Amino acid sequence: IFNSDSNGGELIWFVPEKPVFIDNRQDPYTYDLLMRVVKAERSGEYQALFAQYQITCAFLPSKAQLVADLQQAGWHTRYADARFVVLEQ
């Protein structure tokens, strides 16, 4: 499941049986990975990152640009509220 660093901690707390992609602890992740996540979130260029890590589900803030990018690419919304969206390929 792809998630942004800002919501990884929440996933760890509420769904501990599911590994997060990234969280707000910076030390376990390489600089390159952190920058690739930021680029995917800001530019919508997620395809290579998602392919490399075989990502087929995303948990994102509802206002994230990447939500619209994934929906436009045909991803299905499985859950949505004012704070978060869960999308599945």
Side-chain angles (χ1 to χ4, degrees):
I1 185 169
F2 179 83
N3 62 280
S4 64
D5 66 345
S6 64
N7 59 21
E10 291 178 76
L11 279 175
I12 290 169
W13 179 258
F14 289 110
V15 194
E17 67 275 10
K18 295 291 183 186
V20 298
F21 186 71
I22 196 167
D23 61 53
N24 59 354
R25 297 171 300 149
Q26 302 301 307
D27 53 311
Y29 309 104
T30 65
Y31 179 78
D32 178 61
L33 178 61
L34 294 171
M35 291 300 98
R36 290 179 70 198
V37 169
V38 168
K39 182 178 181 181
E41 290 176 343
R42 292 184 181 170
S43 71
E45 296 178 31
Y46 63 89
Q47 294 87 345
L49 180 67
F50 281 28
Q52 179 180 353
Y53 291 98
Q54 301 175 0
I55 294 169
T56 59
C57 184
F59 174 74
L60 297 164
S62 59
K63 297 180 192 261
Q65 177 59 44
L66 189 52
V67 171
D69 296 333
L70 293 173
Q71 288 171 330
Q72 187 174 14
W75 285 49
H76 304 283
T77 301
R78 296 296 180 207
Y79 174 82
D81 66 17
R83 293 184 61 208
F84 299 110
V85 175
V86 176
L87 299 148
E88 182 180 41
Q89 187 178 34

